[in-house]
Amino acid sequence: MAFKTLATLLSVVGSLQSASAALTKRVACPDGVNTATNAACCSLFAIRDDIQQNLFDGAQCGEEAHESLRLTFHDAIAISNKAGNIGGADGSIITFADVETVFHANSGIDEIVEIQKPFIAKHNITPGDFIQFAGAVAVSNCPGAPRLPFFLGRALATQAADDGLVPEPFDTVSSILARFADAGPVGFEDVEVVWSLIAHTIAAADLVDPSIPGTPFDSTPFTFDTQFFLETQLRGTLFPGTGGNQGETQSPLRGEIRLQSDHDLARDSRTACEWQSFVNDPVKLHDRFIDVMLKMSLLGQDQDQMVDCSEVIPVPKTISKAPSFPAGLSNKDIEQACASTPFPTLATDPGPATSVAPVPGS
């Protein structure tokens, strides 16, 4: 009887939700093609189509998409509770590019900043909104990615961010966790730091080691999957932390780079179990990335004063491949770090070991 009652209740709730959705009034956009739940979102369709074609090379998960995602973080994380929470996801990294792009932690970010500036001028959108919108669209181009939310309404930044607020790959785990905890009114918990690094599943390094630009962080840099969390736990060699290899550790996969901070976070008792939890859980990977990216994109902003335009973000392609060890590697190559949970048993890709190719255009 209880199950029948619950089923009836769920059926009623579902019917009400469907009816509510059907009654939601949509407005016709001036372009004569699109509709939106809020007229303020209409201008974003033209921006989306423009950047998909002319910034992301026809909606590709390539270098510009990777760098656009990176830019969302470098702009947003530059906010400090101790310093009064000035800044955040406000576009200051573009508005005050002459100041912020020379910060050591923002090395190389000037390229995507200069690429994005003409789009901002063309479409009369604030840098803060454009950075977060372009980042969400960029992620949608990567197969396997979640559809990220986007809220519109960031004002023009009035001052540059302070230096020293963007974590660097040679920072200690303690300093990275402390920096995140200080970001914004409530900060980020230790597990949320791990969630933010889901971004490294579609990323590569240009200047960590300038001799090997475009070196990916995992073997599938164009696919949003869990391989990054698997491959960072493979045994590797720690470089001395000086010279060209500062901030870098050696991956057992040829052509793959591992940031020292990623290596350490994957093995630290405060974050290791959360790190390992993503290895075989793509659903959690999606959900937690949505959570942390929404929080990151709203740093320094009042969500209640913004417009939800998430419907403009494209729906990413899905993938079905299960996580697996690269050819020649298996569970015996894992450096177990989570003391409370065994490492999942995964299949190994067939064939001889292969090299990971660099990301073109880096």
Side-chain angles (χ1 to χ4, degrees), residues 75-86:
D75 185 50
I77 199 65
I79 185 171
S80 169
N81 186 38
K82 296 175 182 176
N85 288 319
I86 303 299

Side-chain angles (χ1 to χ4, degrees), residues 41-107:
C41 303
C42 284
S43 63
L44 295 174
F45 288 106
I47 301 174
R48 180 196 66 189
D49 295 345
D50 188 9
I51 63 177
Q52 285 287 61
Q53 186 61 39
N54 300 306
L55 175 59
F56 301 135
D57 301 319
Q60 298 298 308
C61 183
E63 169 70 1
E64 287 73 23
H66 294 179
E67 287 300 303
S68 292
L69 175 56
R70 180 188 178 211
L71 187 61
T72 65
F73 172 75
H74 282 247
D75 185 50
I77 199 65
I79 185 171
S80 169
N81 186 38
K82 296 175 182 176
N85 288 319
I86 303 299
D90 61 356
S92 66
I93 201 167
I94 286 182
T95 303
F96 299 97
D98 56 331
V99 175
E100 293 192 35
T101 59
V102 299
F103 295 164
H104 188 272
N106 292 335
S107 180

Side-chain angles (χ1 to χ4, degrees), residues 147-335:
R147 188 188 197 190
L148 295 181
F150 171 73
F151 283 76
L152 178 73
R154 295 166 184 80
L156 193 66
T158 58
Q159 66 182 66
D162 292 335
D163 196 2
L165 297 180
V166 180
E168 302 205 52
F170 48 79
D171 290 344
T172 66
V173 170
S174 291
S175 66
I176 291 172
L177 298 181
R179 172 76 279 277
F180 271 84
D182 177 52
V186 298
F188 291 79
E189 297 179 10
D190 293 353
V191 293
E192 291 178 302
V193 176
V194 178
W195 303 353
S196 73
L197 291 168
I198 294 172
H200 284 182
T201 185
I202 45 172
D206 285 340
L207 298 176
V208 173
D209 188 338
S211 67
I212 48 172
T215 308
F217 296 145
D218 75 359
S219 59
T220 56
F222 308 112
T223 304
F224 196 100
D225 57 22
T226 65
Q227 288 298 128
F228 167 72
F229 289 94
L230 166 60
E231 293 168 19
T232 46
Q233 292 200 245
L234 294 168
R235 289 188 178 86
T237 303
L238 184 64
F239 283 116
T242 59
N245 292 324
Q246 187 176 18
E248 172 191 354
T249 68
Q250 188 176 32
S251 168
L253 297 179
R254 186 182 300 276
E256 181 177 295
I257 195 171
R258 182 184 299 168
L259 298 184
Q260 179 181 321
S261 52
D262 290 343
H263 175 98
D264 295 345
L265 284 159
R267 290 157 176 79
D268 190 277
S269 60
R270 292 165 287 185
T271 49
C273 289
E274 187 67 14
W275 194 281
Q276 181 180 294
S277 73
F278 287 114
V279 169
N280 199 23
D281 196 340
V283 173
K284 180 180 178 180
L285 191 84
H286 278 201
D287 292 346
R288 297 295 80 79
F289 195 59
I290 290 171
D291 292 343
V292 77
M293 286 300 292
L294 177 60
K295 183 173 180 177
M296 192 77 65
S297 72
L298 295 174
L299 286 174
Q301 306 296 324
D302 181 356
Q303 185 177 359
D304 292 338
Q305 301 301 313
M306 304 175 79
V307 179
D308 186 354
C309 294
S310 303
E311 63 185 336
V312 184
I313 305 301
V315 177
K317 295 178 181 178
T318 59
I319 57 174
S320 58
K321 184 182 182 301
S324 58
F325 285 101
L329 299 169
S330 65
N331 278 75
K332 65 180 175 57
D333 298 294
I334 288 295
E335 188 171 16

Side-chain angles (χ1 to χ4, degrees), residues 24-31 33-45 307-309 311-312:
T24 299
K25 185 178 181 180
R26 299 184 65 83
V27 297
C29 294
D31 61 11
V33 177
N34 295 290
T35 63
T37 54
N38 192 305
C41 303
C42 284
S43 63
L44 295 174
F45 288 106
V307 179
D308 186 354
C309 294
E311 63 185 336
V312 184

